[in-house]
Amino acid sequence: RKEVEQDPGPFNVPEGATVAFNCTYSNSASQSFFWYRQDCRKEPKLLMSVYSSGNEDGRFTAQLNRASQYISLLIRDSKLSDSATYLCVVSGGTSYGKLTFGQGTILTVHP
Amino acid sequence: EAGVTQSPTHLIKTRGQQATLRCSPISGHTSVYWYQQALGLGLQFLLWYDEGEERNRGNFPPRFSGRQFPNYSSELNVNALELEDSALYLCASSLLGVTGELFFGEGSRLTVL
């Protein structure tokens, strides 16, 4: 079983749509959680951290369910510029210092 | 402020050769991470250096090695290159370790022929 699993997609949605990505992780001792974004042929960049209480940043909402070892990202009112690969990232647990990346979910927003 | 810089941008080698990739972290960052991103695969953790010491390494053979210099820059060495080593090698730095944000460089694309 992969340490971090994501649905690779691709998700093809029209502008203005709401889209949700899910991610599961296998190490129950994991401590920190993030969503990164990677544009085509570019480096990954932090989109947002994920906190147990859930957190929102504009059109983006991230949630964490430690009991189910599940992380989600919700994007509302999708823009063309949201087209990218979204990476679920988990750190901590038994392997300190290692950030484990999911394979990524591809999102394409079309006009 | 300069971001994470990596060199070379592209590198072509043949099987059995050695490759050396370099990374300069953001000024003030003491942690440097190396990741491999092969085509169709996610980012695979290679190495983590902090304050000049190797703190953790991923599930890669010993022919993948590196070091961190006193100025916190880092070098990744890959010996006895194999075709499957062809990938984008990403370096990242951080100020707060894994509890904080990783800032990635644009990567070095290694092609092994």
Side-chain angles (χ1 to χ4, degrees):
Chain A
R1 182 185 173 187
K2 290 182 182 177
E3 291 184 66
V4 180
E5 292 203 66
Q6 295 182 250
D7 179 349
F11 286 67
N12 293 296
V13 303
E15 275 186 290
T18 295
V19 61
F21 305 139
N22 303 319
C23 167
T24 56
Y25 60 95
S26 61
N27 189 339
S28 60
S30 298
Q31 296 162 344
S32 301
F33 309 89
F34 311 90
W35 283 101
Y36 275 70
R37 168 190 169 134
Q38 186 172 24
D39 292 330
C40 188
R41 297 188 178 277
K42 296 289 229 176
E43 72 275 20
K45 292 184 179 179
L46 178 67
L47 178 65
M48 60 196 303
S49 301
V50 186
Y51 305 116
S52 296
S53 55
N55 48 299
E56 190 174 303
D57 182 1
R59 298 181 293 109
F60 299 83
T61 300
Q63 293 198 312
L64 168 65
N65 184 321
R66 285 188 184 270
S68 302
Q69 295 178 208
Y70 170 95
I71 306 162
S72 66
L73 177 68
L74 182 76
I75 305 176
R76 291 182 299 278
D77 188 23
S78 297
K79 311 291 184 190
L80 296 176
S81 57
D82 293 335
S83 297
T85 298
Y86 290 83
L87 304 166
C88 176
V89 184
V90 174
S91 80
T94 55
S95 187
Y96 183 69
K98 174 184 169 184
L99 251 68
T100 303
F101 284 72
Q103 198 163 335
T105 299
I106 299 171
L107 171 66
T108 301
V109 181
H110 56 83
Chain B
E1 181 183 303
V4 176
T5 57
Q6 292 187 243
S7 64
T9 305
H10 294 88
L11 188 61
I12 299 174
K13 294 284 187 178
T14 56
R15 284 178 60 189
Q17 286 188 312
Q18 179 201 30
T20 298
L21 309 177
R22 296 178 178 84
C23 172
S24 292
I26 291 172
S27 178
H29 288 192
T30 61
S31 280
V32 170
Y33 304 81
W34 287 95
Y35 283 83
Q36 181 196 66
Q37 189 172 32
L39 194 62
L41 298 178
L43 275 76
Q44 303 295 315
F45 171 73
L46 271 164
L47 290 158
W48 170 37
Y49 291 96
D50 184 62
E51 297 285 0
E53 300 284 334
E54 181 182 302
R55 303 295 186 182
N56 202 349
R57 68 178 290 130
N59 296 323
F60 281 83
R63 57 191 186 82
F64 286 83
S65 65
R67 54 181 171 165
Q68 187 178 33
F69 299 99
N71 66 352
Y72 303 116
S73 67
S74 178
E75 190 174 270
L76 175 68
N77 294 294
V78 188
N79 293 320
L81 285 166
E82 300 179 2
L83 296 178
E84 53 265 34
D85 296 334
S86 295
L88 181 67
Y89 289 84
L90 290 162
C91 172
S93 72
S94 75
L95 184 58
L96 297 174
V98 293
T99 59
E101 179 178 358
L102 288 191
F103 295 84
F104 283 87
E106 294 186 348
S108 292
R109 185 162 296 282
L110 172 64
T111 301
V112 182
L113 302 176

